[in-house]
Amino acid sequence: GLKTSTETQTAQKNKLAKENGKLFGQKKGAEKQGKDTTAITVFAEKDGHFYFYGRCWADSVMNHYREIKAIHERFRCGTVFCETNGDKGFLAKDLRRLGLMVNTYAEKENKFIKICTHLTKIWQNLSFHQSTDQEYMRQILEFQEGIEPDDCPDSAACAARILTRPAPRLHVFG
């Protein structure tokens, strides 16, 4: 699994950078256990440092719309990134009805490779907000390929990928 430093982080590093916060949601039906689990990651980058806040619920995302909206408002998030593979976009439609701006995508990357590539790339410059769920952190720190639940490291890796992808460029000719 991933390792973390045992050093105490300062309150400044532990504080989530709010000015460009975004929210990433990961809903997954754990087929083997027959349970729904939900993980979300609020994420931001400032001066090359990454800030995450994570929540994890042991049931369906549909039971937590009010909490997700409250988290969105608390951290003054902008766009919500939402995978459409599992539910064909119904979650995105529900979140839009709550007034949230949602960007959807179909996940194509292998989960294990995604976690090992994107999350480990930023690990040394990553701070977790002090109120991040213990279960969220446990899943990340104990992540092993093929062992469920893995929604939290998956959500965090998707957030890391979004934060580190090259910015789109616009070329104007005239």
Side-chain angles (χ1 to χ4, degrees):
L2 298 170
K3 304 291 183 211
T4 185
S5 170
T6 56
E7 296 176 24
T8 304
Q9 297 176 341
T10 64
Q12 181 66 19
K13 282 179 76 177
N14 206 7
K15 184 178 179 186
L16 184 65
K18 292 182 177 182
E19 58 270 8
N20 67 343
K22 295 181 176 30
L23 178 68
F24 180 82
Q26 182 71 33
K27 179 202 170 283
K28 180 171 186 221
E31 297 83 14
K32 294 176 186 171
Q33 291 87 10
K35 298 179 193 173
D36 280 334
T37 58
T38 302
I40 65 167
T41 303
V42 175
F43 58 96
E45 182 272 339
K46 183 173 180 157
D47 300 326
H49 198 85
F50 304 94
Y51 301 88
F52 282 16
Y53 163 80
R55 280 296 305 265
C56 180
W57 295 284
D59 57 353
S60 172
V61 67
M62 294 183 340
N63 297 328
H64 300 283
Y65 287 166
R66 274 192 249 143
E67 290 173 83
I68 291 169
K69 177 134 176 140
I71 290 167
H72 187 272
E73 291 171 0
R74 173 183 171 199
F75 289 104
R76 296 189 305 249
C77 296
T79 304
V80 176
F81 294 85
C82 195
E83 179 182 316
T84 58
N85 297 36
D87 73 349
K88 309 295 184 227
F90 288 104
L91 173 61
K93 289 177 186 175
D94 288 347
L95 295 177
R96 286 183 183 117
R97 281 189 209 115
L98 293 175
L100 303 178
M101 184 184 327
V102 179
N103 184 351
T104 60
Y105 68 98
E107 183 60 66
K108 297 174 185 155
E109 194 170 3
N110 173 279
K111 187 184 298 189
F112 178 73
I113 292 171
K114 175 176 41 177
I115 292 167
C116 291
T117 301
H118 301 291
L119 193 52
T120 58
K121 182 190 304 185
I122 68 166
W123 194 253
Q124 294 301 315
N125 295 314
L126 175 60
S127 295
F128 289 92
H129 191 275
Q130 62 192 7
S131 61
T132 292
D133 280 354
Q134 287 183 347
E135 174 61 15
Y136 181 95
M137 290 305 302
R138 186 196 67 72
Q139 283 189 30
I140 289 175
L141 295 174
E142 296 178 4
F143 172 73
Q144 294 179 33
E145 184 177 17
I147 305 294
E148 300 234 359
D150 57 7
D151 300 315
C152 298
D154 191 17
S155 177
C158 290
R161 179 177 60 197
I162 290 166
L163 284 169
T164 59
R165 69 180 171 203
R169 300 180 195 278
L170 174 64
H171 298 282
V172 178
F173 299 95

